[in-house]
């Protein structure tokens, strides 16, 4: 009888093991459920585009190089044809490609995962404005 109880307890523990493993998935699920408003509230002014992208990546818990930059190409007077094509592309530019193109009082967007955050370079501060779901 005691062996039967021990076997039942062992089987119960084995059956519960995947449930314990799912606890690690809990925070990932919470991140998926994070609203764009939550993301925007976690962002603050930074001194560089790289710092802004890194901050957004940290909030979303993704790699910083996964953040892309979208710039409206109508004001791009320094761009060549190849750069204009990249500016018009939905995937946007890398942070390194976009950094020299962003000027004071310019609005741009950081895109990561399913979130698009509008920023502006105000003086020397890269200032987050709002975030919304990506299309």
């Amino acid at each position: 009888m005691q062996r039967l109880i021990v076997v039942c307890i062992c089987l119960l523990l084995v059956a519960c093991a995947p449930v314990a493993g799912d606890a690690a998935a809990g925070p990932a699920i919470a991140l998926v459920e994070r609203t764009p408003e939550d993301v925007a509230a976690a962002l603050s002014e930074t001194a560089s585009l790289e710092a802004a992208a890194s901050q957004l990546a940290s909030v979303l818990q993704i790699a910083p190089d996964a953040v892309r930059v979208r710039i409206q190409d109508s004001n791009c007077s320094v761009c060549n044809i190849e750069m204009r094509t990249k500016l018009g592309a939905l995937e946007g530019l890398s942070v390194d490609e976009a950094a020299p193109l962003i000027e004071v009082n310019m609005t741009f967007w950081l895109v990561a995962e399913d979130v698009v955050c509008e920023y502006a370079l105000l003086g020397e501060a890269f200032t987050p404005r709002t975030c919304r779901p990506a299309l």
Side-chain angles (χ1 to χ4, degrees):
M1 183 68 168
Q2 290 177 348
R3 284 187 180 181
L4 180 61
I5 292 173
V6 170
V7 168
C8 287
I9 290 173
C10 288
L11 289 174
L12 182 62
L13 290 173
V14 169
C16 292
V19 173
D22 287 345
I29 291 169
L31 288 176
V32 170
E33 295 172 1
R34 181 175 282 174
T35 66
E37 293 81 13
D38 294 337
V39 173
L43 301 174
S44 61
E45 289 184 352
T46 62
S48 69
L49 180 61
E50 293 82 5
S54 180
Q55 184 182 70
L56 179 59
S58 177
V59 168
L60 296 174
Q61 295 186 347
I62 61 172
D65 61 352
V67 176
R68 303 294 287 181
V69 183
R70 291 185 188 157
I71 301 173
Q72 199 169 16
D73 67 348
S74 62
N75 294 329
C76 187
S77 60
V78 296
C79 299
N80 60 26
I81 292 174
E82 180 183 337
M83 188 57 70
R84 277 195 171 280
T85 303
K86 285 184 179 182
L87 288 175
L90 190 58
E91 69 270 4
L93 302 170
S94 70
V95 173
D96 290 339
E97 290 173 317
L101 301 175
I102 296 176
E103 300 172 353
V104 175
N105 296 325
M106 181 182 268
T107 299
F108 60 95
W109 297 265
L110 294 183
V111 182
E113 303 239 316
D114 294 333
V115 178
V116 176
C117 295
E118 180 182 325
Y119 277 75
L121 177 55
L122 303 174
E124 294 184 13
F126 289 79
T127 306
R129 291 185 170 169
T130 62
C131 294
R132 63 173 174 77
L135 300 176

